[in-house]
């Protein structure tokens, strides 16, 4: 299985069933007299997990930025016959959520850049001592 963490990285989750679990299923089906289907009957195709590139992050950041603009462009009131609905609070919450996700991606990249710069600074100091 794959999941995405808060910064959009793909995480592989180990969902393999061990042989011990298969034995347990067989024991359970023989005791109850019912057929128990196991998840191992249909193996999912292997999924290639890769680290997101800088372009992937840029795409996500731009996606949330554009989404914020699209939400802000929506009307503040929607009329359905005699019923008029105010969407101001909904719009502001959706814009806030899109901005939060955008900020998460930016913060991750900033921290990654600072770690990289710190590594290079330490490397330069070590080289200067030699």
């Amino acid at each position: 299985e794959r999941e995405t963490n808060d910064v959009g990285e793909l995480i592989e989750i180990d969902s393999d069933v061990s042989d011990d679990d298969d034995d347990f299923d067989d024991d359970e089906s023989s005791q109850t007299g019912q057929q128990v289907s196991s998840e191992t009957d249909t193996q999912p195709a292997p999924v290639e997990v890769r680290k997101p590139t800088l372009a992937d992050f840029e795409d996500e950041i731009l996606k949330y930025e554009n989404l914020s603009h699209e939400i802000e462009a929506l009307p503040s009131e929607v009329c359905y016959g005699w019923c008029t609905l105010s969407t101001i609070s909904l719009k502001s919450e959706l814009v806030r959520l899109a901005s939060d996700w955008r900020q998460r991606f930016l913060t991750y990249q900033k921290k990654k850049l600072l770690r990289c710069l710190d590594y290079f600074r330490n490397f330069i100091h070590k080289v200067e001592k030699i």
Side-chain angles (χ1 to χ4, degrees), residues 25-37:
D25 288 342
D26 292 338
D27 293 341
E28 183 178 311
S29 64
S30 63
Q31 291 174 358
T32 62
Q34 297 175 352
Q35 181 66 24
V36 177
S37 65

Side-chain angles (χ1 to χ4, degrees), residues 49-110:
V49 178
R50 66 173 180 82
K51 285 181 108 175
T53 63
L54 187 57
D56 293 334
F57 278 94
E58 184 178 12
D59 290 343
E60 288 297 311
I61 291 166
L62 288 174
K63 178 179 83 172
Y64 286 112
E65 198 171 303
N66 291 334
L67 188 60
S68 290
H69 293 303
E70 288 178 30
I71 294 168
E72 288 172 347
L74 294 173
S76 296
E77 289 185 345
V78 179
C79 296
Y80 290 104
W82 56 270
C83 183
T84 302
L85 301 173
S86 174
T87 60
I88 295 172
S89 59
L90 177 62
K91 282 176 46 175
S92 64
E93 185 63 19
L94 290 173
V95 167
R96 187 192 64 77
L97 285 171
S99 296
D100 286 351
W101 276 102
R102 178 182 171 273
Q103 191 59 43
R104 283 183 180 198
F105 283 101
L106 289 171
T107 301
Y108 177 82
Q109 285 299 312
K110 179 181 175 185

Side-chain angles (χ1 to χ4, degrees), residues 15-29:
S15 63
D16 293 337
V17 178
S18 69
D19 292 335
D20 296 336
D21 292 339
D22 290 338
D23 293 338
F24 178 77
D25 288 342
D26 292 338
D27 293 341
E28 183 178 311
S29 64

